[in-house]
Amino acid sequence: QVQLVESGGGLVQAGGSLRLSCAASASIFSRYDMGWYRQAPGKQRELVANIRSGGSTNYADSVKGRFTISRDNAKTAVYLQMNSLKPEDTAVYYCNAHRLQSAFWGQGTQVTVSS
């Protein structure tokens, strides 16, 4: 079982920045693929970015060039640096840990971008 706790969400004006953090309880954190997803009201949850255990990254087209995902295996944490935020980035952001047949989710953190 992996517990994930997100932090760093909040209200920001368009063009601003936020950094989300996700603290994980996994003892073998380095072996997990980690990801950030988001869900806006009335929409399906979507992948924002992920980072594999080996360090490779993948981004949704809508955030490429603006968001950066990173991980610190020593701190068992994953981060999402979000720059040039847009109102359409408004959503609840969820941290995800995935390995083999198991997947775990955090409770989510709200990000609201005002125009």
Side-chain angles (χ1 to χ4, degrees):
Q1 191 76 6
V2 177
Q3 292 187 338
L4 303 170
V5 179
E6 303 99 334
S7 61
L11 174 64
V12 64
Q13 288 189 330
S17 298
L18 284 173
R19 186 186 192 224
L20 304 184
S21 299
C22 172
S25 66
S27 60
I28 52 171
F29 174 83
S30 63
R31 300 183 190 177
Y32 280 83
D33 297 335
M34 301 298 297
W36 286 98
Y37 289 71
R38 67 186 181 188
Q39 187 166 19
K43 295 188 177 181
Q44 289 188 331
R45 191 172 296 189
E46 63 176 1
L47 174 69
V48 176
N50 59 23
I51 182 165
R52 301 290 296 273
S53 58
S56 61
T57 59
N58 179 55
Y59 295 91
D61 288 343
S62 59
V63 306
K64 282 181 180 177
R66 299 188 297 122
F67 291 11
T68 303
I69 190 170
S70 61
R71 65 190 297 160
D72 186 332
N73 290 336
K75 295 183 178 179
T76 63
V78 63
Y79 308 99
L80 186 68
Q81 178 66 44
M82 305 186 294
N83 298 328
S84 302
L85 282 160
K86 304 176 181 180
E88 51 263 45
D89 294 318
T90 295
V92 178
Y93 284 70
Y94 296 91
C95 181
N96 171 268
H98 177 255
R99 180 175 182 266
L100 300 177
Q101 305 302 316
S102 299
F104 303 93
W105 294 91
Q107 293 299 307
T109 185
Q110 176 71 46
V111 172
T112 302
V113 185
S114 63
S115 57

